Structures are given as C-alpha cells and as structure tokens.
Amino acid sequence: MSTASELPHGGAAGDADVDTRHVHGHDEAHVHGHGPGGAAHGSFKGYMTGFLLSVVLTGIPFWLVMGKVFQDHQTTTLIVLAFAIVQILVHMVYFLHLNTSSEGGWNMLALIFTMVLVVITLSGSLWVMYHMNANMMPMSPQDMRNMP
Amino acid sequence: MTQATDAMNAPPAQGFYLTEEHHPENGTMLGFWIYLMSDCLLFAVLFAMYGVLGGNYAAGPGPKDLFELPTVLLNTSMLLLSSITYGFAMLEMARQRKGATLLWLAITGCFGVAFVTLELTEFAHFIHEGAGPQRSAFLSSFFTLVGTHGLHVTFGIIWLVTLMVQVTQRGLSPENMRRLSCLSLFWHFLDVVWIGVFTFVYLMGVLR
C-alpha cells in the first residue's frame, strides 16, 4: 500500500522534473540564440568541418612550397594565395560564425567596409611604392652626380 | 486628471521601446566586432609595410636563408588546434558545463603558449644569427608584423587566464559568457591573421 501510494507520487515528481528541465533547456536555447553571442555558437559538426577544411587548406600550400611541386614560382604563389583566401572564408563562416543576419547585418556591413579599406591600403601601397622603387632604384652615385 | 494624462502618456513611451527592432540587449558583440575590424586595418597596414619593404635585404640574410618551414608548419598547427579547442570550450559553455569549459580553455591556453614559445625561439634564433630587427628593412618589417601578431596572442592568453579565474569564481554567468564570446571572436580572428602571415610572409618569402 505504501509503495503504491509512493509510486504515482514519485512518477509525478519525475514528470515535473522532466518538464522543468525541458522548459529550462528551451529557455537556455533562447538565451543563446539571441543573448550574449549575438551570433550562434555553432555546432560540433560546424567546428569539425571548419577544422578539417583548414587542415587541408593549410596542408596543401605547405606541401606545394616545401615539396617544390611546381617549377614555376608564379604558379605556386597564385595557388597559395587562392588557398589562403579560401581558408580565411572558411574561418569566417565556421569559426567566427559570420553570416548576413548576425547583429542584424551590421557585422557583415562592417566587414565589407573594412575589406574595401584593406584592399585600397594594400593594393595602393604596393602599387605606388613599387613604381617609386622601380623609378628610383637603378640610380648609382655616378648617375646622381650627372643629374640635370 | 493626472492619472488620465499618465494613462495617455504611458502607451506611446512603451510603444517607443517596443517598435525598436528585435535587437540584442546590448551592443557588446557588435562593438567588439568593430574593434576587431579596426585591428584588421592595423594588420593591413603592417602587411602593406612588409609588402613594400620585404625585398630590401640590405645585403643581409633573406627569407630563404632564415625561414624554416617545418617550424612554421608546427606553429600554424598549434594555432589551428587552439582554435578548434576554443570552439569546443564554447560548445561546453553553451551546455552550461563549467568543468569541461575550463578544461578546454586550459588546453587552448597551452596551445597558445606553445605557439608564442615557438615564435620567440624563432626570433631568438634569428637575432643570434645576426638577423635582428635592425639588420635590414626586411627584418624590421618582419619583426614588426609577426611580433605584433605574437603580442596579440600573448594578450589573448592573459585574457584567457583572467576569464578562467572569473569562471572558476563566478561560474558561467551571462556576463562571463559574453566575455568568453568576445575572446572567442578575438582568438579566431588572430588565427585568420596568421593565415595571412604564413602565406604572405613565410610561404611567399621562401618562393621569392
């Protein structure tokens, strides 16, 4: 009799426990979706995908350079640069969880703006300084003395 | 009369807050992201400097004489492993498991320390060979660019240890979770910068 009266009670308590846990879990999920992260925290699968892609995308350029696979250095340089750009994108997506909807799109907008500035800074500096270098370098002291 | 005015005033005020888009409660993550973008510009300028000065050896040692790619590969793998272990820490944090979070954070810190140690060993080796930052414009820009990245990682490790102490003392509170999310962005961002470093400085340096 006592066991019979306890069982349903215990069962009910267990159900309630499960219910609260479920609600709690849902609440947490909600907090994580919009709370401290802003962007989602990602998943185990996402991190592993990013990691394995990064390993491949790091390994191939090192192999190309260390194993001297191509005789032509320019080909290797271009391939290595392409791998770097792809790996940066992989990191952005799988590790930094960047997408067009995080923080209402402002993350992406800030990134695009920064990338525009980075491209202007890098290409502008290299271009201008290369031309200055090319025009200034061949001058020997002899040439300098004979300048008009 | 005053009550009626209050009643008329209250709904628009409430409405004002509610019509605001469903936005995160505070802008910490966005603000931190914008900080990272400014850091990105800092590195872009250093990369541009290296691109301009990287060929001026002043009859000193060049990249081919100095760089040892196996060491760089080891360094790169340390940073990549630290990235994935930080990811695991974030996943454990989302599950509110304090012990596992702290464990993964500690492993991340160890990889970070290994990275900085390897880099400092490399620097010490260069300086010992007479290839210090004052040797040539190439080496000045190399030490500035790679050193700035190493300094970022060092500060990241200090931040990591600080957060581990905070999590130990106060648990995975919303504040600590926000801080860990910021450090996560910072840590992964440094890995992104390192992709640029090992490609542009080391691999292309050896190819040049």
Side-chain angles (χ1 to χ4, degrees):
Chain A
M1 188 60 197
S2 64
T3 46
S5 66
E6 265 171 34
L7 264 177
H9 190 70
D15 282 350
D17 196 24
V18 168
D19 273 358
T20 46
R21 217 180 291 158
H22 175 73
V23 168
H24 187 59
H26 179 75
D27 195 40
E28 264 172 21
H30 183 77
V31 166
H32 283 288
H34 304 277
H41 289 303
S43 60
F44 178 76
K45 204 182 148 202
Y47 276 115
M48 281 319 279
T49 313
F51 178 69
L52 292 176
L53 280 174
S54 298
V55 168
V56 172
L57 292 168
T58 305
I60 291 175
F62 270 95
W63 169 67
L64 285 178
V65 176
M66 288 166 82
K68 297 186 176 63
V69 178
F70 296 110
Q71 291 302 310
D72 184 17
H73 279 179
Q74 193 153 18
T75 319
T76 320
T77 306
L78 287 176
I79 295 173
V80 164
L81 273 181
F83 270 103
I85 291 166
V86 175
Q87 198 184 346
I88 285 172
L89 291 178
V90 165
H91 274 245
M92 290 277 176
V93 171
Y94 289 104
F95 289 164
L96 288 165
H97 309 304
L98 193 74
N99 54 51
T100 45
S101 59
S102 59
E103 300 281 349
W106 287 105
N107 274 353
M108 186 55 87
L109 200 69
L111 178 71
I112 292 169
F113 176 61
T114 311
M115 284 307 120
V116 170
L117 289 185
V118 165
V119 167
I120 292 173
T121 311
L122 276 176
S123 59
S125 303
L126 292 178
W127 182 43
V128 170
M129 296 309 285
Y130 173 78
H131 277 270
M132 284 185 72
N133 217 18
N135 291 331
M136 302 293 277
M137 276 309 275
M139 206 157 278
S140 62
Q142 186 76 29
D143 294 329
M144 278 298 271
R145 249 174 268 130
N146 296 334
M147 281 276 283
Chain B
M1 189 58 196
T2 46
Q3 273 178 353
T5 346
D6 280 349
M8 280 172 77
N9 284 344
Q14 232 173 19
F16 174 75
Y17 287 113
L18 285 176
T19 47
E20 193 91 343
E21 238 176 81
H22 184 68
H23 216 64
E25 320 79 71
N26 57 60
T28 305
M29 297 315 290
L30 178 60
F32 194 76
W33 180 255
I34 289 171
Y35 155 69
L36 284 184
M37 291 300 100
S38 74
D39 225 15
C40 193
L41 289 178
L42 172 82
F43 278 109
V45 172
L46 293 179
F47 271 111
M49 179 190 69
Y50 182 81
V52 170
L53 298 175
N56 304 353
Y57 310 135
K64 269 185 195 164
D65 313 314
L66 290 173
F67 297 161
E68 282 162 17
L69 286 186
T71 318
V72 181
L73 186 59
L74 187 65
N75 236 350
T76 308
S77 50
M78 287 299 130
L79 211 55
L80 193 56
L81 283 168
S82 80
S83 253
I84 186 75
T85 52
Y86 201 103
F88 292 155
M90 291 299 284
L91 292 175
E92 294 300 337
M93 183 197 87
R95 289 193 204 115
Q96 288 286 315
R97 287 205 282 220
K98 185 176 153 186
T101 310
L102 283 172
L103 179 67
W104 283 118
L105 286 177
I107 295 171
T108 308
C110 288
F111 280 128
V113 169
F115 172 83
V116 174
T117 312
L118 279 168
E119 195 166 274
L120 286 178
T121 314
E122 189 193 26
F123 282 4
H125 180 63
F126 286 1
I127 292 168
H128 184 71
E129 284 190 342
Q134 67 273 59
R135 180 64 190 82
S136 62
F138 151 65
L139 282 163
S140 301
S141 55
F142 167 80
F143 274 93
T144 311
L145 172 58
V146 183
T148 306
H149 179 269
L151 209 58
H152 273 77
V153 177
T154 310
F155 278 104
I157 294 168
I158 294 170
W159 188 2
L160 186 82
V161 172
T162 314
L163 281 187
M164 281 175 70
V165 172
Q166 289 220 0
V167 170
T168 312
Q169 285 178 347
R170 310 217 166 100
L172 290 167
S173 62
E175 292 82 13
N176 278 340
M177 281 161 63
R178 191 185 64 225
R179 288 164 191 153
L180 284 171
S181 302
C182 282
L183 181 56
S184 167
L185 287 182
F186 186 73
W187 200 264
H188 292 309
F189 168 76
L190 288 181
D191 207 3
V192 171
V193 174
W194 183 254
I195 298 171
V197 172
F198 82 69
T199 306
F200 196 62
V201 176
Y202 287 101
L203 292 181
M204 284 171 66
V206 171
L207 281 177
R208 184 141 53 184

